[in-house]
Amino acid sequence: MEVGLKKEKNMVFEETELRLGLGLGLPGNGAAATEAEGVRKRGFSETETETTTVDLMLNLSPKESVAADGADPRDQPKTSPKEKTLLLPDPAKPPAKAQVVGWPPVRSFRKNMFAAQKSSGEESEKNSPNASFVKVSMDGAPYLRKVDLKMYKSYPELSDALGKMFSSFTIENCESQGFKDFMNESKLMDLLNSSDYVPTYEDRDGDWMLVGDVPWEMFVESCKRLRIMKGKEAIGLAPRAVEKCKNRS
Amino acid sequence: MEESSAKAEQVLENVLETVLHFLTSRRDRNAASLVCKSWYRAEALTRSDLFIGNCYAVSPRRATGRFPCLRSLNIKGKPRFADFDLMPPDWGAHFSPWAEALAQSYPSSLRSLHLKRMSLTDGDLTLLSHSLPLFQDLLLTSSEGFTTAGLAALASNCALLRVLDLVECLVHVHDDVVDWISSFPDTHEHTRLESLVFDCVDCPVNFDALERLVARSPSLRRLRLNRYVSMAQLHRLMHRAPHLTHLGTGSFSASELDPEPDYASAFAASKSLVCLSGFREIWPEHLPAIFPACANLVSLNFSYADINADQLKSVIRHCHKLQTFWVLDSVCDEGLQAVAETCKDLRELRVFPVNAREEIEGPVSEVGFEAISRGCRKLQSILFFCQRMTNAAVVAMSNNCPDLVVFRLCIIGRYRPDAETQEPMDEGFGAIVMNCKKLTRLAVSGLLTDRAFGYIGTYGKLIRTLSVAFAGDTDLGLKYVLEGCPNLQKLEIRDSPFGDGALRSGLHHFYNMRFLWMSSCKLTRQACQEVAQTLPHLVLEVINSEEHKADDIGILYMYRSLDRPRDDAPKVVTILH
């Protein structure tokens, strides 16, 4: 069994060849794409091109396939002559960027440990442009955690990650149901009146705000640290949060 | 006349049994059992420790039938590549049939059970806890299927429990977590506990119950906590158990709000500590606390500690006696150089990657690798993940560290050549097999041609375990190995262009092997069928996913077996015969 670059039918054709574009709106499961499908399942999406046409090749010999981005399958920075002669005509070697199952051979519990943490020798105050570490504390939890806000692209992603990090500590609190969707204002107000946990953050001005009141990018820039507190305690933050919003807009 | 000869035989058997009691090595015992029938019988009656390298090589009934008096049993299940999600999750290695057989056959003798890569249920653990009153030692490595309920059953029912070690297991902790620590009988009597390892049980524990348990376990020498135990709690436990030899520190993290106890004095007071691990959520500021213990440390596991070179240096310069060191590559080449300068007695090194993606550069490289080889001449075992490597550095290690028994180099970028010369990595690995004459385990990586396998076949005469990924050019590569390595027992290959011809070249040797794994190679079903028919005691399991055509082989997992092929395989597994 070989999973590798199959010859894609979406090729670079010379002008003299006929290409019949049927515009059938096929989602790529049509005949032309069946070989590419196996490739897709292994996550080779960078080398595919979207197609809604069926290419009929009339009495023409197939050309050599070229990956959409023209990359050498092995994506090496330098290629020596020796290496080129080792290229098999039908390589079982996927492009270097593709995610490969089980490679490298690191056990999943090790991989998961560090999914959210990158190596950083600096304290959270000195952040490189690529990382934005802030301390996260949760009322009642025995120790602090750190998160890199730049790892996430939206509030739900952050909420998810925080929920996973601290979910264990909500087991004893039977009232808590973990994190709620805090982009909805009325839900937020409900939250503040309950004893569920609410995420708050300290911004650059030193004020404590409710998480979710500003656009995500603004939040990442201004957040200095996070604190997950009981909803009842966060009640005082709501009016300030609203006022700050008014000042910004 | 006949009666006296029968008596003489009986005396001989008694003498034999008495003598065989002194044979402990299983290889010696296997050899003794082959001498003749009466030796076979005597050996079977006197074997107390049984090792089964593949749970499907022999049925529970056959094992219990042959050996009536077992005190300890060691069973291994899934092949190692299952750890990397290459096998369907329900593939097998079920412990239940064994649990039933053990409960029935050894109620008054079995004391110790060691399982690796097996699938156990809470029911299995509960059965054992009820059926084996003398049960003392349970060691579960890389196993799964059970929950805290199973642990609670062990804690409640095994009055003589001495060792409960859970290493790298996947314990289901999402529904109905049971407070298993509280299940140990909470009396004023002392427990027999000597070892409690639960760092992989990923849920909070009842700390008060844990503290009381530790306080009434005067024999406790090994304690490895999970990440839900804070530094303040660790401090209290260390105070309760000052004679610990092996300590897993838990999170090694503290809330800023807690007043800080004097952690360093706790470590200074633990004068017996030789092995430290844990550091699951480490606050590097607390590292100085362990300095007092460093001079005695023989083993240090920092492989969950995201620390940099300077932080490591502050610790490692005290660790003159260190023999085993596991660490993350966050310490960089500079950190490894510091290890090389201080740890002259180092025997085993493992360097794990923080970032497991394929990148052009990484924090460790041939520089740190070579520094280790120059500083740690007694090195016996190395596992090293990196993004770049050179043949020169590997050759240097082969010359500097001739005692190497285990050499596992993982260049994360597939097909990556020598970073300086752009040559394949053949010469480096060739030097390893040539110069390290005690080598029994080898894992290769990087750009490798058939030449590398030629070296392995020519020089790797003692190799028992070989791990290959994304390597080689033609069938010749695998042929060299199968024809050249007479001691090969475990061969795992993935994504390499070896096909039917190569497979056939191993027919003379497959009965001597524990298993062969070949995934994403170039085998055909027909060739596998041929092998299955030629060697009837081999079981050939073929695992294909939907995208495979019927003739292709996704995964071939092949092993010898004394019994009929198993009947507990999931649908996705086809057993050829």
Side-chain angles (χ1 to χ4, degrees):
Chain A
M1 186 279 302
E2 264 175 345
V3 180
L5 285 177
K6 307 286 185 182
K7 296 197 161 107
E8 298 189 51
K9 293 278 160 67
N10 313 316
M11 298 176 190
V12 179
F13 287 110
E14 287 178 7
E15 278 125 19
T16 50
E17 294 178 12
L18 279 176
R19 191 159 158 235
L20 186 68
L22 294 177
L24 295 176
L26 296 172
N29 282 332
T34 41
E35 282 177 307
E37 233 182 70
V39 171
R40 190 180 302 124
K41 281 183 183 163
R42 296 290 290 261
F44 298 153
S45 50
E46 287 115 342
T47 60
E48 284 180 25
T49 53
E50 293 290 297
T51 177
T52 54
T53 59
V54 176
D55 290 320
L56 300 180
M57 291 191 298
L58 307 175
N59 294 326
L60 297 165
S61 54
K63 292 260 191 270
E64 278 295 342
S65 75
V66 175
D69 59 0
D72 175 67
R74 286 188 252 168
D75 200 34
Q76 296 301 328
K78 300 178 202 169
T79 50
S80 70
K82 267 194 188 167
E83 197 188 306
K84 287 212 167 101
T85 61
L86 297 172
L87 265 175
L88 298 178
D90 191 9
K93 298 164 185 173
K97 286 182 183 164
Q99 278 285 81
V100 177
V101 175
W103 186 262
V106 176
R107 292 185 191 172
S108 37
F109 61 81
R110 280 193 193 279
K111 276 186 176 159
N112 294 339
M113 293 279 156
F114 299 102
Q117 293 173 354
K118 283 193 189 140
S119 177
S120 163
E122 300 155 349
E123 286 287 78
S124 54
E125 291 85 51
K126 299 180 219 157
N127 281 314
S128 66
N130 296 324
S132 184
F133 280 101
V134 298
K135 288 183 186 174
V136 188
S137 65
M138 175 159 159
D139 290 358
Y143 54 83
L144 307 181
R145 309 288 300 263
K146 278 193 239 180
V147 284
D148 176 8
L149 293 178
K150 298 238 164 97
M151 291 281 306
Y152 311 104
K153 296 190 213 82
S154 65
Y155 283 117
E157 273 186 38
L158 175 63
S159 164
D160 230 21
L162 290 179
K164 281 188 189 137
M165 258 186 230
F166 287 104
S167 64
S168 50
F169 300 110
T170 62
I171 287 174
E172 278 126 37
N173 182 348
C174 37
E175 289 164 341
S176 165
Q177 291 157 42
F179 286 81
K180 295 206 153 57
D181 170 15
F182 44 90
M183 296 196 59
N184 181 319
E185 198 189 312
S186 61
K187 276 191 189 171
L188 242 186
M189 299 315 293
D190 289 340
L191 206 57
L192 294 177
N193 292 323
S194 73
S195 52
D196 286 344
Y197 286 95
V198 164
T200 65
Y201 71 100
E202 185 183 2
D203 70 2
R204 268 201 239 112
D205 306 333
D207 293 327
W208 284 92
M209 311 273 291
L210 288 175
V211 173
D213 57 347
V214 299
W216 174 257
E217 291 75 22
M218 207 187 287
F219 166 71
V220 173
E221 291 304 311
S222 60
C223 173
K224 257 178 35 186
R225 58 180 294 166
L226 281 162
R227 182 176 158 203
I228 302 163
M229 56 171 76
K230 292 229 167 172
K232 291 187 181 127
E233 291 180 27
I235 227 164
L237 298 179
R240 258 192 302 166
V242 169
E243 208 183 286
K244 270 224 159 174
C245 267
K246 284 190 192 148
N247 291 342
R248 283 206 180 97
S249 57
Chain B
M1 265 288 271
E2 277 205 17
E3 199 188 297
S4 68
S5 89
K7 253 193 176 174
E9 253 189 63
Q10 188 58 53
V11 169
L12 209 61
E13 283 215 12
N14 290 346
V15 167
L16 195 55
E17 284 175 29
T18 310
V19 168
L20 285 178
H21 268 297
F22 292 99
L23 266 188
T24 48
S25 143
R26 66 177 191 263
R27 291 196 176 89
D28 290 344
R29 282 191 156 269
N30 291 346
S33 72
L34 293 174
V35 168
C36 63
K37 278 204 176 131
S38 80
W39 279 56
Y40 178 93
R41 269 196 311 269
E43 193 284 313
L45 288 173
T46 57
R47 191 181 299 219
S48 56
D49 306 320
L50 181 60
F51 172 84
I52 296 174
N54 175 3
C55 62
Y56 289 121
V58 61
S59 66
R61 178 194 273 185
R62 184 185 286 265
T64 57
R66 177 172 167 184
F67 302 108
C69 307
L70 289 185
R71 288 174 64 116
S72 89
L73 181 57
N74 184 338
I75 309 180
K76 295 190 177 181
K78 301 181 202 180
R80 198 179 71 98
F81 275 1
D83 287 351
F84 314 121
D85 303 325
L86 289 175
M87 264 190 155
D90 56 345
W91 174 81
H94 300 293
F95 182 63
S96 299
W98 290 94
E100 284 155 25
L102 297 179
Q104 204 175 6
S105 301
Y106 307 122
S108 50
S109 65
L110 197 69
R111 287 158 169 77
S112 158
L113 190 58
H114 181 176
L115 303 179
K116 186 167 184 179
R117 291 199 191 92
M118 295 288 292
S119 188
L120 308 88
T121 64
D122 290 338
D124 298 334
L125 292 175
T126 309
L127 177 63
L128 289 180
S129 74
H130 284 306
S131 317
L132 304 172
L134 294 183
F135 196 65
Q136 290 177 315
D137 302 344
L138 181 64
L139 174 43
L140 299 179
T141 308
S142 302
S143 296
E144 42 79 30
F146 58 99
T147 76
T148 45
L151 299 180
L154 290 168
S156 306
N157 303 326
C158 300
L160 300 180
L161 199 62
R162 195 170 64 166
V163 171
L164 180 57
D165 286 358
L166 309 167
V167 178
E168 294 182 357
C169 294
L170 204 61
V171 184
H172 187 79
V173 291
H174 299 295
D175 322 298
D176 297 326
V177 172
V178 172
D179 181 3
W180 59 282
I181 290 283
S182 299
S183 300
F184 285 95
D186 197 350
T187 65
H188 292 293
E189 280 179 35
H190 291 160
T191 75
R192 315 254 180 142
L193 269 183
E194 291 177 15
S195 178
L196 181 62
V197 171
F198 65 94
D199 48 350
C200 61
V201 183
D202 205 27
C203 60
V205 285
N206 179 333
F207 180 74
D208 289 336
L210 177 61
E211 192 176 7
R212 284 198 304 275
L213 178 66
V214 170
R216 66 178 191 279
S217 303
S219 304
L220 195 67
R221 294 293 173 267
R222 297 198 300 274
L223 179 64
R224 293 199 170 121
L225 308 163
N226 70 17
R227 63 188 178 103
Y228 295 93
V229 179
S230 69
M231 278 211 73
Q233 291 170 333
L234 169 68
H235 184 261
R236 284 168 63 170
L237 292 175
M238 289 177 75
H239 178 69
R240 297 277 187 193
H243 303 294
L244 289 178
T245 57
H246 296 60
L247 175 64
T249 64
S251 67
F252 211 73
S253 184
S255 165
E256 285 180 357
L257 308 170
D258 281 346
E260 267 189 31
D262 181 3
Y263 297 129
S265 68
F267 280 91
S270 298
K271 297 193 190 301
S272 310
L273 270 184
V274 292
C275 175
L276 262 190
S277 60
F279 309 104
R280 295 270 171 157
E281 311 273 344
I282 190 174
W283 280 101
E285 303 87 85
H286 291 136
L287 268 181
I290 72 170
F291 292 170
C294 288
N296 287 331
L297 284 186
V298 168
S299 168
L300 178 57
N301 182 348
F302 268 157
S303 66
Y304 292 97
D306 197 352
I307 56 176
N308 62 25
D310 287 331
Q311 288 155 352
L312 176 66
K313 279 173 168 179
S314 70
V315 172
I316 211 74
R317 62 196 174 92
H318 302 289
C319 301
H320 297 276
K321 285 197 194 164
L322 210 58
Q323 293 186 14
T324 300
F325 185 50
W326 292 20
V327 72
L328 285 176
D329 64 3
S330 58
V331 302
C332 303
D333 285 329
E334 199 188 326
L336 295 179
Q337 281 161 333
V339 174
E341 274 158 31
T342 316
C343 306
K344 297 304 179 188
D345 222 10
L346 198 67
R347 311 294 163 109
E348 175 179 326
L349 175 67
R350 296 196 192 188
V351 180
F352 295 95
V354 169
N355 173 13
R357 292 192 295 272
E358 298 182 37
E359 309 280 3
I360 302 297
E361 296 282 335
V364 297
S365 70
E366 73 274 12
V367 172
F369 187 83
E370 195 168 342
I372 290 287
S373 79
R374 280 196 304 269
C376 309
R377 299 297 174 113
K378 297 189 193 170
L379 203 62
Q380 293 172 358
S381 170
I382 183 162
L383 169 62
F384 195 87
F385 285 85
C386 57
Q387 300 283 356
R388 55 171 283 153
M389 185 51 60
T390 62
N391 281 305
V394 180
V395 170
M397 182 165 285
S398 78
N399 287 318
N400 293 335
C401 307
D403 291 340
L404 278 174
V405 173
V406 174
F407 185 80
R408 301 160 69 189
L409 174 60
C410 181
I411 303 169
I412 298 174
R414 289 162 290 150
Y415 313 109
R416 205 157 276 187
D418 181 315
E420 292 288 316
T421 67
Q422 300 310 313
E423 302 270 316
M425 292 300 296
D426 299 341
E427 299 309 311
F429 285 102
I432 290 289
V433 290
M434 260 190 262
N435 300 333
C436 303
K437 307 212 192 314
K438 303 179 193 171
L439 198 73
T440 59
R441 182 170 179 183
L442 178 65
V444 300
S445 62
L447 181 65
L448 294 170
T449 73
D450 288 343
R451 197 185 173 89
F453 297 98
Y455 288 136
I456 295 172
T458 307
Y459 298 104
K461 296 303 178 187
L462 294 184
I463 292 180
R464 297 204 295 263
T465 307
L466 179 63
S467 191
V468 177
F470 304 99
D473 300 319
T474 72
D475 280 0
L476 274 183
L478 181 52
K479 272 190 80 172
Y480 290 145
V481 168
L482 288 173
E483 287 170 0
C485 301
N487 282 300
L488 195 61
Q489 306 227 315
K490 299 184 273 182
L491 180 55
E492 47 188 33
I493 304 175
R494 64 166 293 180
D495 293 273
S496 299
F498 304 135
D500 299 341
L503 186 68
R504 290 191 194 104
S505 68
L507 283 171
H508 68 288
H509 187 62
F510 289 146
Y511 276 159
N512 296 332
M513 291 178 66
R514 190 180 298 172
F515 72 80
L516 168 68
W517 167 295
M518 286 179 72
S519 61
S520 303
C521 296
K522 283 179 153 188
L523 298 173
T524 68
R525 200 186 180 93
Q526 192 182 346
C528 294
Q529 207 94 51
E530 280 170 32
V531 173
Q533 277 155 7
T534 311
L535 297 173
H537 288 294
L538 280 189
V539 176
L540 279 82
E541 298 194 8
V542 172
I543 305 167
N544 277 355
S545 56
E546 303 135 16
E547 63 200 51
H548 295 121
K549 302 193 191 114
D551 270 338
D552 295 336
I553 303 288
I555 300 173
L556 170 68
Y557 178 53
M558 185 177 91
Y559 51 89
R560 63 188 171 190
S561 178
L562 292 174
D563 291 295
R564 277 190 355 256
R566 63 193 183 111
D567 54 8
D568 62 354
K571 272 197 172 156
V572 75
V573 172
T574 310
I575 297 185
L576 301 179
H577 45 258

